[in-house]
Amino acid sequence: MNKIKNYFKRLWKALWDSTDLDEKAEAALKEAKARIAEMRKELADVKNAAKNVVAQSIDVVDAAKGKKRRGKKPYKNYKKNKKTNNNSKKN
C-alpha cells in the first residue's frame, strides 16, 4: 500500500514539475499588481485634474458675475527692464 501511495506522489510531483502553470500564474499576478499600481497613480492624476476643473468653473461663474480674478498680479506692476544674469551681447 505504501509503495502505491509513494508511486502516485512521485507521479503527481513529476506531472506538476513538468508544467509551468505555477510560473505563469506568478508572472500574471506580478503583471496585474504592476498594472493596478499604475492605475492608482493615473486615478490620482485624474482626481487632481477634476479638482482643478471644478475650481476653474467656479472662476468662470465669478467672472460672469463681474468679479475680478483672484491671485493674479496686475500687469502694471511688471517691470520691463528686469535684470538678468545673462551677460551675452546681442548682435
Side-chain angles (χ1 to χ4, degrees):
M1 186 71 164
N2 234 356
K3 287 184 178 182
I4 296 172
K5 188 176 180 183
N6 285 336
Y7 172 75
F8 281 117
K9 280 184 180 179
R10 285 185 288 131
L11 179 64
W12 178 254
K13 186 176 181 196
L15 287 173
W16 188 252
D17 288 342
S18 68
T19 63
D20 57 351
L21 288 177
D22 51 342
E23 289 89 7
K24 287 181 181 178
E26 287 176 11
L29 183 63
K30 186 177 178 181
E31 179 68 23
K33 286 182 179 180
R35 288 184 182 188
I36 288 172
E38 288 298 319
M39 286 174 50
R40 283 185 182 156
K41 291 177 187 176
E42 290 299 324
L43 284 174
D45 289 344
V46 169
K47 179 182 172 184
N48 291 335
K51 285 182 181 180
N52 192 20
V53 167
V54 170
Q56 293 296 323
S57 64
I58 291 171
D59 291 344
V60 170
V61 171
D62 289 344
K65 291 179 183 177
K67 293 184 180 179
K68 294 189 178 200
R69 293 180 75 172
R70 299 174 298 164
K72 180 83 172 168
K73 293 182 181 179
Y75 184 73
K76 65 182 179 182
N77 289 342
Y78 181 75
K79 295 180 181 178
K80 289 185 179 180
N81 296 328
K82 190 175 180 182
K83 189 173 184 180
T84 64
N85 290 333
N86 188 0
N87 295 329
S88 63
K89 295 180 181 179
K90 295 182 180 178
N91 291 336

